[in-house]
């Protein structure tokens, strides 16, 4: 299996632009998570899905952030408009009930908003 | 509130020396407990996990961790550190009742000197 695939690996954009991060979970996994990692706040859970349905989005910082999972093999995290304080590494992870809460992480997207 | 505390921001050990990374958690009941490792530019990889039973759990790469309920601790250990162990280590908890809402500690950066 290829593991969790995230794209792009790096994104540099200007303040006010729309940013879309993409994730392909491991085939057969029915849970998908979006985390944000910064030096100041560490790893924060933004939102997670089960069977393509958002279960908990309490970690989404504000309305500028939105996430979708149109099917079992694809999810997006969108920031519109982006701000410099959104600069961080965004990780996608997937899991299944059989894995006993073990998370499988992608390599992350390094986002820089100038 | 649920929380995970890793009191050491960074630790430096000599190659071949023993290692112990500390982790304390605050939770309503005994949760699932994890240690993950993150190499530079990579996502997190699971080292080991504890759910129930034997309080000393073995993981990959020669790591082990001991759950101590009375101290709400789950410290990670390795008897002899290798230079390739230099990375960031995260302790994490997830609810025993399921739900997958994994909370991570702030991480401990391990430096290994020759």
């Amino acid at each position: 299996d290829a593991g969790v695939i995230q794209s792009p690996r790096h994104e540099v954009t200007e303040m006010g632009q729309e940013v879309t991060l993409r994730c392909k979970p491991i085939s057969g996994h029915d849970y998908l998570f979006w985390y944000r990692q910064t030096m100041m706040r560490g790893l924060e859970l933004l939102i997670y899905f089960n069977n393509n349905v958002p279960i908990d989005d309490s970690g989404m910082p504000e309305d500028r952030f939105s996430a979708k999972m149109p099917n079992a093999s694809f999810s997006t995290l969108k920031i519109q408009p982006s701000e410099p304080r959104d600069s961080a590494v965004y990780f996608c992870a997937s899991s299944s009930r059989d894995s006993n809460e073990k998370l499988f992480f992608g390599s992350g997207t390094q986002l820089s908003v100038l | 509130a649920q929380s995970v505390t890793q009191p050491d921001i960074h630790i430096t050990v000599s190659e071949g020396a023993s290692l112990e990374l500390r982790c304390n958690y605050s939770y309503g009941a005994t949760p699932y407990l994890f240690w993950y490792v993150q190499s530079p530019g990579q996502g997190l990889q699971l080292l080991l996990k504890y759910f129930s039973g034997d309080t000393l759990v073995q993981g990959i790469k020669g790591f082990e961790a001991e759950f101590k309920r009375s101290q709400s601790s789950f410290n990670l250990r390795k008897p002899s550190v290798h230079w390739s162990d230099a990375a960031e280590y995260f302790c994490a908890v997830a609810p025993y009742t399921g739900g997958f809402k994994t909370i991570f500690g702030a991480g401990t950066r391990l430096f290994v000197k020759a």
Side-chain angles (χ1 to χ4, degrees), chain A residues 12 19 46 58 68 73 98:
Chain A
V12 180
V19 175
L46 300 178
S58 60
K68 294 182 179 179
S73 59
D98 296 339

Coordinates of all heavy atoms in Angstrom, one line a residue, chain A residues 12 19 46 58 68 73 98:
Chain A
V12 N 3.5 27.7 -1.2 CA 3.8 29.1 -0.8 C 2.8 30.0 -1.5 O 2.6 29.9 -2.7 CB 5.2 29.5 -1.2 CG1 5.5 31.0 -0.8 CG2 6.2 28.6 -0.6
V19 N -6.2 28.5 -0.6 CA -5.3 27.4 -0.6 C -6.1 26.1 -0.4 O -7.0 26.0 0.4 CB -4.3 27.5 0.6 CG1 -3.5 26.3 0.7 CG2 -3.5 28.7 0.5
L46 N -7.8 19.2 13.7 CA -8.7 20.2 13.1 C -10.1 19.6 12.9 O -11.1 20.2 13.3 CB -8.2 20.7 11.8 CG -6.8 21.4 11.8 CD1 -6.4 21.8 10.4 CD2 -6.8 22.6 12.7
S58 N -14.6 20.6 15.8 CA -14.4 21.6 16.9 C -13.0 22.3 16.8 O -12.8 23.3 17.4 CB -14.7 21.0 18.2 OG -13.8 20.0 18.5
K68 N -13.7 18.9 3.2 CA -14.7 18.0 2.6 C -14.1 16.6 2.4 O -12.9 16.5 2.2 CB -15.1 18.6 1.3 CG -15.9 19.9 1.4 CD -16.3 20.4 0.0 CE -17.1 21.7 0.1 NZ -17.5 22.2 -1.2
S73 N -11.9 8.0 -0.9 CA -10.5 8.0 -1.3 C -9.9 9.4 -1.4 O -8.8 9.6 -2.0 CB -10.3 7.2 -2.6 OG -11.1 7.8 -3.6
D98 N -10.2 -1.6 12.8 CA -9.3 -2.7 13.0 C -7.9 -2.4 13.5 O -7.2 -3.2 14.0 CB -9.2 -3.5 11.7 CG -10.5 -4.1 11.2 OD1 -11.4 -4.3 12.1 OD2 -10.6 -4.4 10.0

